[in-house]
Amino acid sequence: MSSAASKAVVFAYSNVGDRCLRVLQAGGVDVRLVVTHRDQPGEALWFARVADTAAELGLPFVYTEDLSLEALTAAVAAVQPDFAFSFYYRNMIPLSLLAAAGRGAFNLHGSYLPHFRGRAPTNWAVLKGATETGATLHEMAAKPDAGAIVDQAAVPILPDDTAQQVFDKVCVAAELVLWRSLPGLIDGSAPRQVNDIAAGSYYGRRTPEDGRLDFSRPAAEVYNLIRAVAPPYPGAFTELQGKKLIVAEARRTSGEPLPPGLHVSNGRMLAACADGGLIHLRQLLCDGVPLTAAELSALLSSPSPHP
């Protein structure tokens, strides 16, 4: 794969950013500038830091959250890039920056477009009970994840997969898609497929509060939420006796019907849902420490604290 003449500016973050940056270098692309995010205060760094990747590969990088900065615009223009790439960068890239890329600007999105456009695509796919997602390389446009599709690859979402397990598959799919697309991008033969966003879906940013459990919902819905935000994400949670309990690991199970809520039965911690479905809470965290069935039983039997 010969691409010595191809220069690129890369906006990247997280594991997809790490792997795709390595693909570009392995493919001979001359990455002249990497733009990434600073670590957020209190953020659990379970993923690769693109700044570390750039430093390891000897690539110049800058931190910024504001893509309208004149200094950044000037730095990108100075590179005169053939390509601009976005690999899990968190912010929309202004058209003024994209226009600097003479041969195109492309984003690697973590879903099988047009489905699950927008933020946190892997988490939303698990939450909505999808059985498949993927990675898509597409042209960047004014609307998020709306440009023409260059290539994509699907990955399965198994019934008990957590969002992190699915994200790991998406990372591999992203690496594959970019690797096999590079020659066509470089020689100008890469295809363009219509990205029919009207036939897909779009979801916005998620917050930790969105992980609050509601046992009046069906068990399948509750279980999907648990899987979608299980650690290292903030985790699905409920509150008991003034304590926040986070479900770190769970499985669907069967047994005698119980009223909706938390229970301890035969030494197992259970969540009962409105439709009679049960979820075995294999690991329940309180202040970051695993709670035992006996400790949960004691909390359940304690009188409620006075307001």
Side-chain angles (χ1 to χ4, degrees):
M1 186 184 299
S2 177
S3 55
S6 297
K7 296 179 294 183
V9 171
V10 178
F11 301 80
Y13 194 62
S14 192
N15 294 3
V16 171
D18 165 66
R19 296 308 303 175
C20 288
L21 196 55
R22 295 177 188 278
V23 168
L24 291 183
Q25 189 188 59
V29 174
D30 183 6
V31 177
R32 294 292 183 91
L33 179 65
V34 178
V35 181
T36 189
H37 301 286
R38 291 190 183 278
D39 301 336
Q40 294 184 348
E43 185 174 26
L45 295 178
W46 56 270
F47 46 83
R49 297 179 73 252
V50 165
D52 292 342
T53 307
E56 176 192 334
L57 300 179
L59 304 174
F61 68 92
V62 296
Y63 294 109
T64 188
E65 309 301 325
D66 184 358
L67 296 180
S68 67
L69 292 173
E70 290 185 8
L72 178 63
T73 301
V76 171
V79 170
Q80 296 184 313
D82 297 296
F83 299 104
F85 292 100
S86 178
F87 304 134
Y88 262 60
Y89 191 78
R90 286 175 167 171
N91 301 340
M92 284 286 290
I93 300 173
L95 293 177
S96 58
L97 285 181
L98 301 184
R103 300 178 63 190
F106 303 89
N107 177 51
L108 205 304
H109 183 69
S111 80
Y112 200 86
L113 291 177
H115 306 290
F116 298 105
R117 295 169 52 236
R119 298 294 191 116
T122 302
N123 307 82
W124 278 112
V126 175
L127 179 63
K128 293 297 181 180
T131 58
E132 184 179 85
T133 189
T136 303
L137 183 68
H138 66 91
E139 291 182 322
M140 283 190 270
K143 290 185 177 180
D145 311 316
I149 293 170
V150 175
D151 192 12
Q152 56 191 164
V155 301
I157 302 177
L158 305 184
D160 294 316
D161 278 347
T162 64
Q164 184 184 23
Q165 290 170 322
V166 178
F167 180 64
D168 289 344
K169 300 179 197 183
V170 167
C171 286
V172 175
E175 185 174 341
L176 168 66
V177 165
L178 181 61
W179 177 257
R180 70 189 182 193
S181 297
L182 266 184
L185 291 177
I186 291 162
D187 68 19
S189 66
R192 304 291 194 276
Q193 306 167 42
V194 174
N195 186 0
D196 186 5
I197 61 174
S201 54
Y202 177 88
Y203 295 95
R205 184 194 299 268
R206 292 190 59 79
T207 68
E209 180 61 25
D210 294 328
R212 184 179 293 276
L213 291 165
D214 180 358
F215 300 118
S216 70
R217 307 300 301 170
E221 185 177 316
V222 173
Y223 186 52
N224 286 344
L225 175 57
I226 291 171
R227 296 189 301 126
V229 297
Y233 299 102
F237 69 94
T238 188
E239 293 173 345
L240 182 65
Q241 303 293 353
K243 298 181 181 295
K244 183 177 182 179
L245 306 181
I246 294 175
V247 182
E249 185 181 353
R251 284 290 188 276
R252 293 290 301 272
T253 190
S254 59
E256 293 296 321
L258 294 166
L262 297 178
H263 301 270
V264 175
S265 178
N266 297 321
R268 296 193 305 167
M269 298 183 289
L270 301 173
C273 301
D275 61 352
L278 297 176
I279 299 170
H280 178 197
L281 307 178
R282 291 185 170 187
Q283 188 175 72
L284 196 59
L285 303 178
C286 181
D287 296 326
V289 178
L291 201 67
T292 66
E295 289 169 334
L296 176 60
S297 183
L299 281 175
L300 289 169
S301 60
S302 296
S304 299
H306 294 294

